[in-house]
Amino acid sequence: PLYGSSFMSVAKFAKENEIPIVSPFTQVNKILFDNPYVCKVSPSVSLQVERMATYVIDSFQTQNIVLVNGGGLAKDVPFYNSFKKTANDYLRLKSTNSKDTIKEAKGLSGLQSMLSTTMVNVVVLPSSNQSFVTDFISKLYALRDKYKIVLFGLQSWMNYDNLDFEYLNTVSLHTPSNIFIDYENPRVKLFVKNYREAFKTEPDQFAFQGFDVTYFFVNALKQNGTGFLNNLSQLKYTGLDAYYHFSQFPIESGFENKY
């Protein structure tokens, strides 16, 4: 099943009968719990935020980094905490000053007092509250002439239909993502050509994801037989829209793509 609501029922059956089961889209990690037969292709939002944190420190360590706490949704708290811990741990690892930590602000009002006119302001907002995010970006856009701003947000923002792309470009929006389709890639070009010929239409994102998921797991089955889960962590795959590198922790849980 493609989505979490029906996945759990089928996953229970899969575990009882020792059948590998693949979740292509669900990001939540709870489907992995206590079921070593589950394979989750989409990395969790927390993992994406952790990767984003290391990228921010690698790229902007000498600039003005501010983590914004806002949006008011309880489900965003783990994302905020994940970024904070990962960024601070990585910053201390890379810095000679063991006391270095990123700045924290409460909402836009708290942020404005921390903005710098001489450095790049790297604003991190790990919120999934659409109305708050939209309002925040609008107000951040209004500050464009006074401050140099680079905004980091969540992948889910790309599904919001009320964001102005001029605003997003002006604040240099960055979001983590587990998929990216490079239409200059020769393999992608060939796939698009073959897809057009076969189906008389353009391949959308789901077509690319469907191909990668199917090709990877059928190939794993071909190479290692029905016990391919025993070798899954050793298999790496460069797909049309994603990379796969699965790991399992703890051992009694399922496999997550960490790339």
Side-chain angles (χ1 to χ4, degrees):
L2 300 185
Y3 300 105
S5 55
S6 52
F7 185 88
M8 298 302 290
S9 297
V10 185
K12 181 176 181 290
F13 176 87
K15 179 183 178 182
E16 291 168 352
N17 294 275
E18 301 182 355
I19 302 169
I21 179 170
V22 180
S23 174
F25 302 131
T26 305
Q27 291 184 325
V28 292
N29 277 345
K30 69 178 181 180
I31 67 171
L32 301 174
F33 179 71
D34 197 32
N35 191 339
Y37 295 94
V38 173
C39 304
K40 186 168 75 72
V41 172
S42 295
S44 67
V45 178
S46 291
L47 181 62
Q48 291 188 23
V49 168
E50 289 173 15
R51 294 288 191 272
M52 185 168 73
T54 58
Y55 176 83
V56 167
I57 300 304
D58 270 337
S59 304
F60 299 100
Q61 181 181 350
T62 59
Q63 304 303 319
N64 185 37
I65 304 171
V66 185
L67 174 62
V68 179
N69 187 355
L73 295 183
K75 69 176 183 178
D76 290 339
V77 174
F79 309 149
Y80 180 88
N81 290 337
S82 287
F83 186 93
K84 178 181 175 180
K85 183 181 186 307
T86 304
N88 283 333
D89 288 350
Y90 195 48
L91 188 60
R92 293 187 189 102
L93 187 67
K94 291 173 66 69
S95 174
T96 54
N97 184 356
S98 61
K99 295 182 179 179
D100 274 359
T101 57
I102 57 172
K103 299 175 183 176
E104 297 177 62
K106 183 73 174 178
L108 188 70
S109 57
L111 169 68
Q112 280 189 261
S113 63
M114 297 182 180
L115 294 178
S116 169
T117 55
T118 59
M119 292 189 289
V120 175
N121 296 284
V122 182
V123 180
V124 182
L125 181 65
S127 172
S128 59
N129 185 333
Q130 183 172 354
S131 59
F132 178 84
V133 167
T134 304
D135 182 60
F136 185 90
I137 291 175
S138 297
K139 291 175 178 175
L140 208 58
Y141 175 78
L143 303 174
R144 66 192 181 280
D145 294 330
K146 192 174 181 181
Y147 305 102
K148 171 66 175 175
I149 295 170
V150 177
L151 176 64
F152 281 80
L154 301 180
Q155 183 180 8
S156 59
W157 292 11
M158 296 297 95
N159 297 322
Y160 298 168
D161 55 8
N162 60 341
L163 292 181
D164 189 310
F165 276 95
E166 181 185 346
Y167 288 12
L168 302 185
N169 286 330
T170 300
V171 299
S172 300
L173 177 65
H174 290 60
T175 62
S177 176
N178 58 300
I179 58 172
F180 173 71
I181 303 168
D182 178 8
Y183 286 95
E184 295 303 312
N185 185 317
R187 292 176 61 227
V188 172
K189 289 181 177 180
L190 179 61
F191 177 80
V192 172
K193 176 178 178 291
N194 291 339
Y195 193 94
R196 286 171 178 167
E197 291 175 356
F199 302 109
K200 315 304 179 191
T201 187
E202 294 295 308
D204 62 8
Q205 178 182 312
F206 293 117
F208 287 96
Q209 288 178 276
F211 176 85
D212 278 342
V213 168
T214 307
Y215 190 91
F216 174 80
F217 283 99
V218 171
N219 195 48
L221 188 64
K222 177 190 174 191
Q223 288 185 33
N224 300 291
T226 54
F228 69 87
L229 289 181
N230 295 326
N231 303 92
L232 197 64
S233 298
Q234 283 75 53
L235 302 179
K236 295 183 181 181
Y237 173 69
T238 302
L240 298 175
D241 80 329
Y243 290 76
Y244 292 167
H245 186 195
F246 287 87
S247 64
Q248 181 187 32
F249 182 83
I251 198 70
E252 64 272 10
S253 294
F255 294 84
E256 181 183 22
N257 177 25
K258 298 283 191 179
Y259 201 99

